[in-house]
Amino acid sequence: MKFISLFFLKNVITFVLLCFSFSVVAQKDSLETVIAEKGEGIYALLRKKGVNPYETFDAFVALNIDNIRDSIHVYEGRTYKIPNVEAKVALEETKKAIPNVLPKTGKGYAIFGKKYRKVPIKSSKLKNAVFYLVAGHGGPDPGAMATYAGKPIAEDEYAYDITLRLARELISHGALVYIIIRDNNDGIRDKRILKIDHDEVAYQNKVIPLNQVARLKQRVDIVNELYTKHKGQYQRLIVTHVDSRSKGQNIDVFFYHHEKSKSGKNLAENIHKTFQKKYKKYQPNRTYSGTFEHRTELYMVRKTWPAMTFIEIGNIRNKKDQKRILEPDNRQALAKWISEGAILDFQKR
């Protein structure tokens, strides 16, 4: 009798789970769809289905992100799902839960450190532009490692210092900036040897996972959630890394973008052009060999919604590249050049 009861209970549970699964699938499949015709955009598709485009734009993007170019352009002839009321409400609740970043006090931006917390306003060239900045690795993962003057140096510390300097430059021209990976006690450091620590956190003080895929997914999720908050605005993502190759391989700064992202390509190209001009001016006897190209196999390039560029600053194990990476004035120059390329991209949009 006891055996029969357990057997019966097991089958009931299985039946309930199957019903639930069918319900979820049915609900997903019950969404209305529309085929994009030549010349139509997201707003036109939503209007065609009698849906308020301004209220459901973000939910539409979230539902169809794998079928949209640059997170704003639909493809002619493809089928798209139309969000229902529940999807819109859930998205709005998510947006409300995300506060602004880099709170400014009367003393300036604390994240830049005491020396650099006050940011002078240079212009309004980037007014209404939104940037998401991600320094590579961090937390339990220091990234590429090397030694300099007998001391260990780590990729994440230098990528982060350049990212902070870049954030400060962008803010000085009126941009709204989100620093996704952050160390709340480092600040901008004017030293060659940056002390290695592991207390970096992700935006909103989230612990950075040890697992690589989980770590990258966390960053992607944060950026994509923030992306939905700023619909209709110019939004760009800049990811900064330091490469690790053989000691004898000297490399220039490289820029990567998504293969199908025209806006991402433009961003990478505009920053690349800025670097070419700077090298021609400051190092006229040296050929700049850095390139911009698509590398969609990179997780951050493939999964994030904003148009983006993935930057490799140099080879941390090469002596010539170490000069570019370790010298604080050079890190500042790199940040300034990247910001000038971003300004160029914003002005040409």
Side-chain angles (χ1 to χ4, degrees), residues 25-60:
V25 172
Q27 185 178 25
K28 185 176 180 181
D29 291 341
S30 67
L31 291 176
E32 285 192 71
T33 60
V34 62
I35 297 176
E37 297 180 7
K38 186 175 181 180
E40 287 186 324
I42 294 177
Y43 286 108
L45 293 182
L46 292 170
R47 288 193 186 98
K48 188 161 67 174
K49 299 301 292 185
V51 178
N52 187 323
Y54 303 104
E55 293 182 354
T56 54
F57 182 93
D58 293 336
F60 180 94

PDB file of all heavy atoms in Angstrom, residues 25-60:
ATOM      1  N   VAL A  25       5.235  26.955 -22.363  1.00  0.00           N
ATOM      2  CA  VAL A  25       5.472  26.918 -23.807  1.00  0.00           C
ATOM      3  C   VAL A  25       4.305  27.533 -24.560  1.00  0.00           C
ATOM      4  O   VAL A  25       4.466  28.315 -25.493  1.00  0.00           O
ATOM      5  CB  VAL A  25       5.701  25.462 -24.274  1.00  0.00           C
ATOM      6  CG1 VAL A  25       5.754  25.399 -25.799  1.00  0.00           C
ATOM      7  CG2 VAL A  25       6.988  24.926 -23.678  1.00  0.00           C
ATOM      8  N   ALA A  26       3.089  27.182 -24.115  1.00  0.00           N
ATOM      9  CA  ALA A  26       1.893  27.707 -24.785  1.00  0.00           C
ATOM     10  C   ALA A  26       1.813  29.218 -24.659  1.00  0.00           C
ATOM     11  O   ALA A  26       1.455  29.923 -25.609  1.00  0.00           O
ATOM     12  CB  ALA A  26       0.645  27.062 -24.179  1.00  0.00           C
ATOM     13  N   GLN A  27       2.190  29.725 -23.452  1.00  0.00           N
ATOM     14  CA  GLN A  27       2.135  31.170 -23.235  1.00  0.00           C
ATOM     15  C   GLN A  27       3.128  31.879 -24.145  1.00  0.00           C
ATOM     16  O   GLN A  27       2.844  32.912 -24.722  1.00  0.00           O
ATOM     17  CB  GLN A  27       2.457  31.480 -21.769  1.00  0.00           C
ATOM     18  CG  GLN A  27       2.303  32.952 -21.414  1.00  0.00           C
ATOM     19  CD  GLN A  27       2.574  33.199 -19.950  1.00  0.00           C
ATOM     20  OE1 GLN A  27       3.273  32.454 -19.302  1.00  0.00           O
ATOM     21  NE2 GLN A  27       2.006  34.248 -19.426  1.00  0.00           N
ATOM     22  N   LYS A  28       4.331  31.273 -24.292  1.00  0.00           N
ATOM     23  CA  LYS A  28       5.360  31.871 -25.138  1.00  0.00           C
ATOM     24  C   LYS A  28       4.933  31.855 -26.599  1.00  0.00           C
ATOM     25  O   LYS A  28       5.110  32.813 -27.343  1.00  0.00           O
ATOM     26  CB  LYS A  28       6.671  31.102 -24.959  1.00  0.00           C
ATOM     27  CG  LYS A  28       7.852  31.710 -25.704  1.00  0.00           C
ATOM     28  CD  LYS A  28       9.110  30.943 -25.394  1.00  0.00           C
ATOM     29  CE  LYS A  28      10.310  31.555 -26.131  1.00  0.00           C
ATOM     30  NZ  LYS A  28      11.546  30.811 -25.862  1.00  0.00           N
ATOM     31  N   ASP A  29       4.337  30.684 -27.007  1.00  0.00           N
ATOM     32  CA  ASP A  29       3.924  30.546 -28.383  1.00  0.00           C
ATOM     33  C   ASP A  29       2.673  31.366 -28.700  1.00  0.00           C
ATOM     34  O   ASP A  29       2.365  31.598 -29.866  1.00  0.00           O
ATOM     35  CB  ASP A  29       3.653  29.067 -28.693  1.00  0.00           C
ATOM     36  CG  ASP A  29       4.941  28.243 -28.705  1.00  0.00           C
ATOM     37  OD1 ASP A  29       6.007  28.861 -28.841  1.00  0.00           O
ATOM     38  OD2 ASP A  29       4.865  27.004 -28.554  1.00  0.00           O
ATOM     39  N   SER A  30       1.941  31.792 -27.676  1.00  0.00           N
ATOM     40  CA  SER A  30       0.705  32.522 -27.905  1.00  0.00           C
ATOM     41  C   SER A  30       0.933  33.986 -28.255  1.00  0.00           C
ATOM     42  O   SER A  30       0.001  34.688 -28.611  1.00  0.00           O
ATOM     43  CB  SER A  30      -0.196  32.438 -26.662  1.00  0.00           C
ATOM     44  OG  SER A  30       0.385  33.141 -25.577  1.00  0.00           O
ATOM     45  N   LEU A  31       2.173  34.457 -28.141  1.00  0.00           N
ATOM     46  CA  LEU A  31       2.466  35.841 -28.490  1.00  0.00           C
ATOM     47  C   LEU A  31       2.207  36.077 -29.975  1.00  0.00           C
ATOM     48  O   LEU A  31       2.519  35.235 -30.818  1.00  0.00           O
ATOM     49  CB  LEU A  31       3.926  36.169 -28.170  1.00  0.00           C
ATOM     50  CG  LEU A  31       4.320  36.225 -26.684  1.00  0.00           C
ATOM     51  CD1 LEU A  31       5.812  36.460 -26.560  1.00  0.00           C
ATOM     52  CD2 LEU A  31       3.552  37.324 -25.962  1.00  0.00           C
ATOM     53  N   GLU A  32       1.652  37.227 -30.284  1.00  0.00           N
ATOM     54  CA  GLU A  32       1.426  37.575 -31.678  1.00  0.00           C
ATOM     55  C   GLU A  32       2.763  37.798 -32.380  1.00  0.00           C
ATOM     56  O   GLU A  32       3.752  38.198 -31.760  1.00  0.00           O
ATOM     57  CB  GLU A  32       0.588  38.847 -31.782  1.00  0.00           C
ATOM     58  CG  GLU A  32      -0.881  38.657 -31.470  1.00  0.00           C
ATOM     59  CD  GLU A  32      -1.677  39.893 -31.886  1.00  0.00           C
ATOM     60  OE1 GLU A  32      -1.832  40.121 -33.102  1.00  0.00           O
ATOM     61  OE2 GLU A  32      -2.119  40.619 -30.991  1.00  0.00           O
ATOM     62  N   THR A  33       2.801  37.556 -33.669  1.00  0.00           N
ATOM     63  CA  THR A  33       4.013  37.778 -34.443  1.00  0.00           C
ATOM     64  C   THR A  33       3.710  38.675 -35.633  1.00  0.00           C
ATOM     65  O   THR A  33       2.554  38.860 -36.018  1.00  0.00           O
ATOM     66  CB  THR A  33       4.589  36.448 -34.960  1.00  0.00           C
ATOM     67  OG1 THR A  33       3.626  35.799 -35.784  1.00  0.00           O
ATOM     68  CG2 THR A  33       4.994  35.542 -33.809  1.00  0.00           C
ATOM     69  N   VAL A  34       4.775  39.240 -36.203  1.00  0.00           N
ATOM     70  CA  VAL A  34       4.630  40.109 -37.362  1.00  0.00           C
ATOM     71  C   VAL A  34       5.861  39.940 -38.239  1.00  0.00           C
ATOM     72  O   VAL A  34       6.967  39.717 -37.734  1.00  0.00           O
ATOM     73  CB  VAL A  34       4.460  41.583 -36.933  1.00  0.00           C
ATOM     74  CG1 VAL A  34       5.675  42.080 -36.171  1.00  0.00           C
ATOM     75  CG2 VAL A  34       4.166  42.477 -38.138  1.00  0.00           C
ATOM     76  N   ILE A  35       5.688  40.006 -39.539  1.00  0.00           N
ATOM     77  CA  ILE A  35       6.803  39.900 -40.476  1.00  0.00           C
ATOM     78  C   ILE A  35       7.228  41.310 -40.901  1.00  0.00           C
ATOM     79  O   ILE A  35       6.393  42.114 -41.327  1.00  0.00           O
ATOM     80  CB  ILE A  35       6.413  39.067 -41.707  1.00  0.00           C
ATOM     81  CG1 ILE A  35       6.069  37.636 -41.275  1.00  0.00           C
ATOM     82  CG2 ILE A  35       7.551  39.054 -42.729  1.00  0.00           C
ATOM     83  CD1 ILE A  35       5.570  36.770 -42.409  1.00  0.00           C
ATOM     84  N   ALA A  36       8.505  41.602 -40.764  1.00  0.00           N
ATOM     85  CA  ALA A  36       9.011  42.929 -41.127  1.00  0.00           C
ATOM     86  C   ALA A  36       9.087  43.075 -42.640  1.00  0.00           C
ATOM     87  O   ALA A  36       9.652  42.229 -43.336  1.00  0.00           O
ATOM     88  CB  ALA A  36      10.395  43.127 -40.515  1.00  0.00           C
ATOM     89  N   GLU A  37       8.508  44.158 -43.122  1.00  0.00           N
ATOM     90  CA  GLU A  37       8.558  44.445 -44.556  1.00  0.00           C
ATOM     91  C   GLU A  37       9.626  45.501 -44.836  1.00  0.00           C
ATOM     92  O   GLU A  37      10.132  46.147 -43.921  1.00  0.00           O
ATOM     93  CB  GLU A  37       7.186  44.933 -45.028  1.00  0.00           C
ATOM     94  CG  GLU A  37       6.084  43.894 -44.866  1.00  0.00           C
ATOM     95  CD  GLU A  37       4.718  44.387 -45.332  1.00  0.00           C
ATOM     96  OE1 GLU A  37       4.672  45.494 -45.906  1.00  0.00           O
ATOM     97  OE2 GLU A  37       3.718  43.681 -45.102  1.00  0.00           O
ATOM     98  N   LYS A  38       9.963  45.664 -46.086  1.00  0.00           N
ATOM     99  CA  LYS A  38      11.009  46.594 -46.486  1.00  0.00           C
ATOM    100  C   LYS A  38      10.719  48.000 -45.971  1.00  0.00           C
ATOM    101  O   LYS A  38       9.623  48.515 -46.131  1.00  0.00           O
ATOM    102  CB  LYS A  38      11.135  46.618 -48.007  1.00  0.00           C
ATOM    103  CG  LYS A  38      12.311  47.460 -48.511  1.00  0.00           C
ATOM    104  CD  LYS A  38      12.454  47.359 -50.021  1.00  0.00           C
ATOM    105  CE  LYS A  38      13.654  48.181 -50.490  1.00  0.00           C
ATOM    106  NZ  LYS A  38      13.811  48.084 -51.979  1.00  0.00           N
ATOM    107  N   GLY A  39      11.715  48.605 -45.339  1.00  0.00           N
ATOM    108  CA  GLY A  39      11.596  49.970 -44.849  1.00  0.00           C
ATOM    109  C   GLY A  39      10.981  50.098 -43.474  1.00  0.00           C
ATOM    110  O   GLY A  39      10.911  51.201 -42.921  1.00  0.00           O
ATOM    111  N   GLU A  40      10.529  48.997 -42.876  1.00  0.00           N
ATOM    112  CA  GLU A  40       9.894  49.067 -41.559  1.00  0.00           C
ATOM    113  C   GLU A  40      10.925  48.954 -40.439  1.00  0.00           C
ATOM    114  O   GLU A  40      11.914  48.232 -40.558  1.00  0.00           O
ATOM    115  CB  GLU A  40       8.855  47.955 -41.405  1.00  0.00           C
ATOM    116  CG  GLU A  40       7.592  48.182 -42.199  1.00  0.00           C
ATOM    117  CD  GLU A  40       6.538  47.136 -41.917  1.00  0.00           C
ATOM    118  OE1 GLU A  40       6.905  45.951 -41.712  1.00  0.00           O
ATOM    119  OE2 GLU A  40       5.337  47.498 -41.900  1.00  0.00           O
ATOM    120  N   GLY A  41      10.654  49.667 -39.346  1.00  0.00           N
ATOM    121  CA  GLY A  41      11.465  49.575 -38.148  1.00  0.00           C
ATOM    122  C   GLY A  41      10.628  49.042 -36.994  1.00  0.00           C
ATOM    123  O   GLY A  41       9.458  48.658 -37.184  1.00  0.00           O
ATOM    124  N   ILE A  42      11.184  49.036 -35.804  1.00  0.00           N
ATOM    125  CA  ILE A  42      10.478  48.488 -34.644  1.00  0.00           C
ATOM    126  C   ILE A  42       9.195  49.261 -34.368  1.00  0.00           C
ATOM    127  O   ILE A  42       8.134  48.674 -34.127  1.00  0.00           O
ATOM    128  CB  ILE A  42      11.396  48.498 -33.410  1.00  0.00           C
ATOM    129  CG1 ILE A  42      12.568  47.537 -33.618  1.00  0.00           C
ATOM    130  CG2 ILE A  42      10.619  48.101 -32.145  1.00  0.00           C
ATOM    131  CD1 ILE A  42      13.578  47.533 -32.486  1.00  0.00           C
ATOM    132  N   TYR A  43       9.263  50.575 -34.412  1.00  0.00           N
ATOM    133  CA  TYR A  43       8.073  51.382 -34.128  1.00  0.00           C
ATOM    134  C   TYR A  43       6.955  51.073 -35.121  1.00  0.00           C
ATOM    135  O   TYR A  43       5.771  50.975 -34.756  1.00  0.00           O
ATOM    136  CB  TYR A  43       8.421  52.873 -34.170  1.00  0.00           C
ATOM    137  CG  TYR A  43       9.213  53.350 -32.979  1.00  0.00           C
ATOM    138  CD1 TYR A  43      10.557  53.669 -33.089  1.00  0.00           C
ATOM    139  CD2 TYR A  43       8.608  53.476 -31.727  1.00  0.00           C
ATOM    140  CE1 TYR A  43      11.299  54.100 -31.996  1.00  0.00           C
ATOM    141  CE2 TYR A  43       9.331  53.905 -30.625  1.00  0.00           C
ATOM    142  CZ  TYR A  43      10.677  54.217 -30.762  1.00  0.00           C
ATOM    143  OH  TYR A  43      11.389  54.633 -29.674  1.00  0.00           O
ATOM    144  N   ALA A  44       7.327  50.929 -36.402  1.00  0.00           N
ATOM    145  CA  ALA A  44       6.326  50.645 -37.431  1.00  0.00           C
ATOM    146  C   ALA A  44       5.671  49.284 -37.206  1.00  0.00           C
ATOM    147  O   ALA A  44       4.451  49.134 -37.370  1.00  0.00           O
ATOM    148  CB  ALA A  44       6.978  50.690 -38.810  1.00  0.00           C
ATOM    149  N   LEU A  45       6.467  48.285 -36.810  1.00  0.00           N
ATOM    150  CA  LEU A  45       5.919  46.950 -36.558  1.00  0.00           C
ATOM    151  C   LEU A  45       4.941  46.970 -35.390  1.00  0.00           C
ATOM    152  O   LEU A  45       3.879  46.341 -35.441  1.00  0.00           O
ATOM    153  CB  LEU A  45       7.055  45.966 -36.263  1.00  0.00           C
ATOM    154  CG  LEU A  45       8.013  45.638 -37.413  1.00  0.00           C
ATOM    155  CD1 LEU A  45       9.045  44.616 -36.958  1.00  0.00           C
ATOM    156  CD2 LEU A  45       7.245  45.116 -38.619  1.00  0.00           C
ATOM    157  N   LEU A  46       5.295  47.697 -34.338  1.00  0.00           N
ATOM    158  CA  LEU A  46       4.426  47.762 -33.166  1.00  0.00           C
ATOM    159  C   LEU A  46       3.127  48.500 -33.485  1.00  0.00           C
ATOM    160  O   LEU A  46       2.039  48.082 -33.069  1.00  0.00           O
ATOM    161  CB  LEU A  46       5.166  48.434 -32.006  1.00  0.00           C
ATOM    162  CG  LEU A  46       6.346  47.634 -31.430  1.00  0.00           C
ATOM    163  CD1 LEU A  46       7.155  48.479 -30.450  1.00  0.00           C
ATOM    164  CD2 LEU A  46       5.838  46.376 -30.732  1.00  0.00           C
ATOM    165  N   ARG A  47       3.236  49.592 -34.229  1.00  0.00           N
ATOM    166  CA  ARG A  47       2.024  50.330 -34.617  1.00  0.00           C
ATOM    167  C   ARG A  47       1.118  49.462 -35.490  1.00  0.00           C
ATOM    168  O   ARG A  47      -0.111  49.499 -35.373  1.00  0.00           O
ATOM    169  CB  ARG A  47       2.419  51.601 -35.372  1.00  0.00           C
ATOM    170  CG  ARG A  47       3.031  52.693 -34.505  1.00  0.00           C
ATOM    171  CD  ARG A  47       3.104  54.010 -35.266  1.00  0.00           C
ATOM    172  NE  ARG A  47       3.818  55.023 -34.501  1.00  0.00           N
ATOM    173  CZ  ARG A  47       5.094  55.330 -34.676  1.00  0.00           C
ATOM    174  NH1 ARG A  47       5.798  54.689 -35.610  1.00  0.00           N
ATOM    175  NH2 ARG A  47       5.680  56.260 -33.956  1.00  0.00           N
ATOM    176  N   LYS A  48       1.738  48.677 -36.377  1.00  0.00           N
ATOM    177  CA  LYS A  48       0.972  47.818 -37.275  1.00  0.00           C
ATOM    178  C   LYS A  48       0.134  46.799 -36.514  1.00  0.00           C
ATOM    179  O   LYS A  48      -0.939  46.396 -36.969  1.00  0.00           O
ATOM    180  CB  LYS A  48       1.930  47.117 -38.244  1.00  0.00           C
ATOM    181  CG  LYS A  48       1.225  46.344 -39.345  1.00  0.00           C
ATOM    182  CD  LYS A  48       2.142  46.066 -40.526  1.00  0.00           C
ATOM    183  CE  LYS A  48       3.260  45.130 -40.189  1.00  0.00           C
ATOM    184  NZ  LYS A  48       4.053  44.750 -41.389  1.00  0.00           N
ATOM    185  N   LYS A  49       0.616  46.397 -35.335  1.00  0.00           N
ATOM    186  CA  LYS A  49      -0.107  45.422 -34.518  1.00  0.00           C
ATOM    187  C   LYS A  49      -0.969  46.086 -33.457  1.00  0.00           C
ATOM    188  O   LYS A  49      -1.504  45.427 -32.555  1.00  0.00           O
ATOM    189  CB  LYS A  49       0.875  44.450 -33.866  1.00  0.00           C
ATOM    190  CG  LYS A  49       1.697  43.641 -34.856  1.00  0.00           C
ATOM    191  CD  LYS A  49       0.836  42.802 -35.793  1.00  0.00           C
ATOM    192  CE  LYS A  49       0.132  41.685 -35.073  1.00  0.00           C
ATOM    193  NZ  LYS A  49      -0.610  40.797 -35.995  1.00  0.00           N
ATOM    194  N   GLY A  50      -1.106  47.434 -33.546  1.00  0.00           N
ATOM    195  CA  GLY A  50      -1.970  48.147 -32.611  1.00  0.00           C
ATOM    196  C   GLY A  50      -1.403  48.284 -31.220  1.00  0.00           C
ATOM    197  O   GLY A  50      -2.146  48.444 -30.246  1.00  0.00           O
ATOM    198  N   VAL A  51      -0.083  48.240 -31.104  1.00  0.00           N
ATOM    199  CA  VAL A  51       0.581  48.326 -29.801  1.00  0.00           C
ATOM    200  C   VAL A  51       1.263  49.682 -29.675  1.00  0.00           C
ATOM    201  O   VAL A  51       1.834  50.188 -30.647  1.00  0.00           O
ATOM    202  CB  VAL A  51       1.625  47.197 -29.644  1.00  0.00           C
ATOM    203  CG1 VAL A  51       2.360  47.315 -28.320  1.00  0.00           C
ATOM    204  CG2 VAL A  51       0.950  45.835 -29.746  1.00  0.00           C
ATOM    205  N   ASN A  52       1.203  50.275 -28.478  1.00  0.00           N
ATOM    206  CA  ASN A  52       1.867  51.557 -28.242  1.00  0.00           C
ATOM    207  C   ASN A  52       3.381  51.363 -28.350  1.00  0.00           C
ATOM    208  O   ASN A  52       3.991  50.704 -27.500  1.00  0.00           O
ATOM    209  CB  ASN A  52       1.509  52.096 -26.853  1.00  0.00           C
ATOM    210  CG  ASN A  52       2.044  53.514 -26.638  1.00  0.00           C
ATOM    211  OD1 ASN A  52       3.132  53.859 -27.089  1.00  0.00           O
ATOM    212  ND2 ASN A  52       1.280  54.328 -25.929  1.00  0.00           N
ATOM    213  N   PRO A  53       4.030  51.908 -29.376  1.00  0.00           N
ATOM    214  CA  PRO A  53       5.462  51.647 -29.582  1.00  0.00           C
ATOM    215  C   PRO A  53       6.359  52.239 -28.500  1.00  0.00           C
ATOM    216  O   PRO A  53       7.428  51.702 -28.214  1.00  0.00           O
ATOM    217  CB  PRO A  53       5.745  52.294 -30.944  1.00  0.00           C
ATOM    218  CG  PRO A  53       4.704  53.356 -31.081  1.00  0.00           C
ATOM    219  CD  PRO A  53       3.480  52.808 -30.407  1.00  0.00           C
ATOM    220  N   TYR A  54       5.932  53.326 -27.891  1.00  0.00           N
ATOM    221  CA  TYR A  54       6.764  53.977 -26.888  1.00  0.00           C
ATOM    222  C   TYR A  54       6.753  53.227 -25.554  1.00  0.00           C
ATOM    223  O   TYR A  54       7.694  53.301 -24.779  1.00  0.00           O
ATOM    224  CB  TYR A  54       6.297  55.428 -26.688  1.00  0.00           C
ATOM    225  CG  TYR A  54       6.319  56.210 -27.979  1.00  0.00           C
ATOM    226  CD1 TYR A  54       5.144  56.483 -28.664  1.00  0.00           C
ATOM    227  CD2 TYR A  54       7.521  56.643 -28.537  1.00  0.00           C
ATOM    228  CE1 TYR A  54       5.156  57.177 -29.872  1.00  0.00           C
ATOM    229  CE2 TYR A  54       7.544  57.334 -29.741  1.00  0.00           C
ATOM    230  CZ  TYR A  54       6.364  57.597 -30.402  1.00  0.00           C
ATOM    231  OH  TYR A  54       6.397  58.264 -31.599  1.00  0.00           O
ATOM    232  N   GLU A  55       5.693  52.500 -25.301  1.00  0.00           N
ATOM    233  CA  GLU A  55       5.587  51.753 -24.054  1.00  0.00           C
ATOM    234  C   GLU A  55       6.161  50.341 -24.164  1.00  0.00           C
ATOM    235  O   GLU A  55       6.517  49.729 -23.160  1.00  0.00           O
ATOM    236  CB  GLU A  55       4.116  51.666 -23.607  1.00  0.00           C
ATOM    237  CG  GLU A  55       3.515  53.008 -23.194  1.00  0.00           C
ATOM    238  CD  GLU A  55       2.084  52.856 -22.708  1.00  0.00           C
ATOM    239  OE1 GLU A  55       1.548  51.737 -22.804  1.00  0.00           O
ATOM    240  OE2 GLU A  55       1.521  53.855 -22.230  1.00  0.00           O
ATOM    241  N   THR A  56       6.239  49.806 -25.378  1.00  0.00           N
ATOM    242  CA  THR A  56       6.634  48.400 -25.537  1.00  0.00           C
ATOM    243  C   THR A  56       7.924  48.201 -26.324  1.00  0.00           C
ATOM    244  O   THR A  56       8.322  47.074 -26.602  1.00  0.00           O
ATOM    245  CB  THR A  56       5.508  47.618 -26.243  1.00  0.00           C
ATOM    246  OG1 THR A  56       5.183  48.279 -27.477  1.00  0.00           O
ATOM    247  CG2 THR A  56       4.269  47.539 -25.373  1.00  0.00           C
ATOM    248  N   PHE A  57       8.587  49.295 -26.678  1.00  0.00           N
ATOM    249  CA  PHE A  57       9.818  49.203 -27.475  1.00  0.00           C
ATOM    250  C   PHE A  57      10.848  48.296 -26.806  1.00  0.00           C
ATOM    251  O   PHE A  57      11.401  47.380 -27.419  1.00  0.00           O
ATOM    252  CB  PHE A  57      10.413  50.602 -27.696  1.00  0.00           C
ATOM    253  CG  PHE A  57      11.660  50.616 -28.545  1.00  0.00           C
ATOM    254  CD1 PHE A  57      11.595  50.819 -29.911  1.00  0.00           C
ATOM    255  CD2 PHE A  57      12.907  50.435 -27.962  1.00  0.00           C
ATOM    256  CE1 PHE A  57      12.744  50.835 -30.692  1.00  0.00           C
ATOM    257  CE2 PHE A  57      14.069  50.437 -28.735  1.00  0.00           C
ATOM    258  CZ  PHE A  57      13.981  50.644 -30.098  1.00  0.00           C
ATOM    259  N   ASP A  58      11.137  48.546 -25.513  1.00  0.00           N
ATOM    260  CA  ASP A  58      12.173  47.789 -24.810  1.00  0.00           C
ATOM    261  C   ASP A  58      11.805  46.313 -24.677  1.00  0.00           C
ATOM    262  O   ASP A  58      12.657  45.431 -24.797  1.00  0.00           O
ATOM    263  CB  ASP A  58      12.434  48.384 -23.424  1.00  0.00           C
ATOM    264  CG  ASP A  58      13.070  49.761 -23.515  1.00  0.00           C
ATOM    265  OD1 ASP A  58      13.695  50.050 -24.543  1.00  0.00           O
ATOM    266  OD2 ASP A  58      12.949  50.535 -22.554  1.00  0.00           O
ATOM    267  N   ALA A  59      10.524  46.044 -24.395  1.00  0.00           N
ATOM    268  CA  ALA A  59      10.079  44.658 -24.274  1.00  0.00           C
ATOM    269  C   ALA A  59      10.229  43.938 -25.611  1.00  0.00           C
ATOM    270  O   ALA A  59      10.581  42.750 -25.659  1.00  0.00           O
ATOM    271  CB  ALA A  59       8.625  44.608 -23.798  1.00  0.00           C
ATOM    272  N   PHE A  60       9.961  44.645 -26.714  1.00  0.00           N
ATOM    273  CA  PHE A  60      10.133  44.072 -28.054  1.00  0.00           C
ATOM    274  C   PHE A  60      11.592  43.685 -28.278  1.00  0.00           C
ATOM    275  O   PHE A  60      11.899  42.587 -28.775  1.00  0.00           O
ATOM    276  CB  PHE A  60       9.684  45.077 -29.113  1.00  0.00           C
ATOM    277  CG  PHE A  60       9.832  44.585 -30.531  1.00  0.00           C
ATOM    278  CD1 PHE A  60       8.772  43.972 -31.178  1.00  0.00           C
ATOM    279  CD2 PHE A  60      11.028  44.736 -31.214  1.00  0.00           C
ATOM    280  CE1 PHE A  60       8.907  43.509 -32.483  1.00  0.00           C
ATOM    281  CE2 PHE A  60      11.174  44.277 -32.512  1.00  0.00           C
ATOM    282  CZ  PHE A  60      10.104  43.664 -33.154  1.00  0.00           C
TER     283      PHE A  60
END
